Amino acid sequence: MKITKADREFMREAIRLATESVKNGGGPFGAVIVKEGKVVAGASNSVTIDNDPTAHAEVNAIRKACKALNTFDLTGCILYTSCEPCPMCLSAIYWAHIRRVYYGNTRKDAADIDFADDFIYQELEKMVHDRSIPLIPLLRDEALDSFQLWNQKTDKVEY
């Protein structure tokens, strides 16, 4: 895949947001979402600022882009992020239907400054019963009611 001058500029904006975040008390991560050559949303990490462990730069940018475009489907968008996405962010990227991601730092670079995501990758490879956080089935029969209701709904918005 050919890297363009515009790709470099969008990545520089993600890096700028990461640097600004550090100066403002956030984590060193920034992300920009682009559609048709224009920035739709940019965000930085605000985990400690917002007391929200999900407030990673990529998730924050996805939320802003969805709001700006009035959709939950970011098909056609490109994400530029200052660091290789963690498992949570990568999942959000897939759910948002973003089909291309450019990143600056690697997850090893992040681990070198004590942002270690590898334990999550390792946990995901384990069988459910071997993970460090127990996942315990409970009241499945009752929970299935909402699934059946969804399945029967004729005017649902699929995602």
Side-chain angles (χ1 to χ4, degrees):
M1 184 149 314
K2 184 181 176 195
I3 306 294
T4 68
K5 181 180 177 184
D7 291 325
R8 287 181 182 86
E9 290 306 311
F10 294 134
M11 180 58 74
R12 284 187 180 105
E13 176 60 11
I15 294 166
R16 185 192 70 75
L17 288 168
T19 302
E20 184 179 294
S21 180
V22 173
K23 292 176 182 176
N24 293 327
F29 306 96
V32 173
I33 295 179
V34 173
K35 185 169 187 174
E36 298 172 354
K38 293 185 168 68
V39 173
V40 175
S44 59
N45 177 291
S46 62
V47 169
T48 57
I49 294 167
D50 295 337
N51 292 319
D52 179 352
T54 69
H56 290 200
E58 298 90 338
V59 171
N60 286 343
I62 288 169
R63 289 173 179 156
K64 283 184 173 182
C66 288
K67 189 169 187 175
L69 296 173
N70 196 32
T71 183
F72 56 81
D73 185 344
L74 297 180
T75 297
C77 292
I78 300 171
L79 175 69
Y80 297 84
T81 179
S82 64
C83 187
E84 184 177 355
C86 74
M88 177 188 68
C89 292
L90 190 57
S91 296
I93 289 163
Y94 277 96
W95 280 116
H97 304 285
I98 294 170
R99 296 296 182 237
R100 186 179 310 150
V101 177
Y102 294 93
Y103 65 91
N105 296 308
T106 67
R107 67 189 206 205
K108 182 185 178 324
D109 297 329
D112 288 345
I113 61 166
D114 297 326
F115 287 95
D117 300 329
D118 277 344
F119 81 95
I120 300 172
Y121 284 104
Q122 292 167 12
E123 283 285 301
L124 293 173
E125 291 176 2
K126 294 178 183 177
M127 298 297 292
V128 172
H129 61 273
D130 291 330
R131 294 180 183 164
S132 62
I133 297 175
L135 297 175
I136 304 158
L138 182 64
L139 299 177
R140 179 174 177 258
D141 291 340
E142 292 178 34
L144 280 172
D145 288 345
S146 60
F147 276 24
Q148 291 168 351
L149 185 63
W150 171 261
N151 197 39
Q152 295 166 359
K153 190 172 174 65
T154 57
D155 62 343
K156 62 187 165 203
V157 177
E158 302 262 355
Y159 60 97

